[in-house]
Amino acid sequence: MNFRHVGRQNLLGWHYVWMRRGLGFLLILACLLAVASVPVQADTKRITDGDDVEGPLDIAWIKHEHGTNAAGLRKLVHTVRLYERWPVDRLRHRGFINLFFDLRGDPDWREERAVYITYDNGKLRAELYDFAADPPTFLRTVPMWRPNGRTIKFALRKSDLRRRPFSYYRWFALSFIEERHPLCGESGGCDDHAPDRGYVRHDL
């Protein structure tokens, strides 16, 4: 028997086995790294709305997305974009934007939460309300900012909408200018609903 030949065959066999194992390990490692490198994307959605009402509070689009505050806590960011600039100094308290939030599993007569964006004490402010209460109850002022004259953004905590776990909510925006205001010109007032019917769903 040629022991040198047998040894060479065994060596080649082990080398083949280790190559297979090594390639398998490298393949698994590459897959794990690929998965780890993909950022986790929460639901982001933008809904456009037609140029279809009188007055400067005609909604162009609304959007929901996720962000992180300075403390590293996650927040739900909502945006309302208008076709025209919001002339706060001229409308004052006679023009406003409200957003309503409907939660699954609460078959109530109306939405559970609302954010009122109104003019108060010389500036716009966003206030969160328990809208299921009768009358609605003020909860807190929420962070709001204006990237420009046509855009309003505000941030909520998930716990602002519900304490117990939930996987999604539905929401819509409503703008309104009181009737006979010079910037409206419509009897009964000027209002816009985005989306035009129903809600937009935000999956968390």
Side-chain angles (χ1 to χ4, degrees):
M1 179 179 292
N2 189 337
F3 290 99
R4 179 179 293 180
H5 177 72
V6 173
R8 176 179 169 79
Q9 291 293 89
N10 288 338
L11 182 61
L12 290 173
W14 279 108
H15 182 68
Y16 177 76
V17 169
W18 280 107
M19 279 187 64
R20 290 287 300 272
R21 290 180 177 176
L23 288 174
F25 174 78
L26 289 175
L27 182 61
I28 293 172
L29 181 61
C31 291
L32 291 174
L33 289 174
V35 171
S37 65
V38 176
V40 177
Q41 293 292 332
D43 179 39
T44 297
K45 186 178 295 184
R46 192 178 85 165
I47 304 296
T48 59
D49 190 70
D51 187 358
D52 52 4
V53 302
E54 294 292 329
L57 297 190
D58 187 6
I59 299 173
W61 51 262
I62 60 174
K63 180 180 180 180
H64 62 239
E65 58 191 319
H66 289 242
T68 306
N69 64 16
L73 300 176
R74 294 182 65 191
K75 57 185 180 181
L76 307 171
V77 180
H78 297 78
T79 305
V80 178
R81 172 81 170 193
L82 305 172
Y83 279 100
E84 302 177 23
R85 180 183 175 276
W86 187 341
V88 180
D89 292 338
R90 294 183 63 190
L91 278 175
R92 297 183 179 271
H93 64 279
R94 296 180 65 184
F96 53 85
I97 294 175
N98 292 343
L99 294 92
F100 300 91
F101 300 84
D102 184 67
L103 301 172
R104 181 185 179 189
D106 285 337
D108 205 349
W109 61 293
R110 61 185 181 187
E111 295 79 16
E112 289 77 18
R113 293 288 183 270
V115 170
Y116 297 164
I117 303 175
T118 58
Y119 181 88
D120 181 57
N121 196 27
K123 63 180 181 179
L124 288 175
R125 58 187 293 141
E127 298 178 328
L128 177 68
Y129 280 80
D130 178 358
F131 196 63
D134 188 16
T137 304
F138 170 77
L139 297 176
R140 73 181 187 96
T141 300
V142 298
M144 189 206 77
W145 61 100
R146 299 184 73 186
N148 53 62
R150 295 191 295 159
T151 308
I152 294 170
K153 302 172 76 76
F154 68 89
L156 294 174
R157 300 186 296 255
K158 187 176 178 181
S159 59
D160 285 331
L161 300 181
R162 175 182 282 172
R163 296 291 180 179
R164 64 181 185 271
F166 62 101
S167 59
Y168 74 87
Y169 60 90
R170 305 183 305 164
W171 67 285
F172 70 90
L174 174 70
S175 67
F176 185 76
I177 300 176
E178 293 181 5
E179 65 177 321
R180 291 188 294 275
H181 192 283
L183 294 178
C184 172
E186 295 284 337
S187 61
C190 297
D191 65 275
D192 195 16
H193 190 291
D196 288 329
R197 290 179 296 275
Y199 303 85
V200 55
R201 172 170 163 154
H202 189 181
D203 291 307
L204 301 176

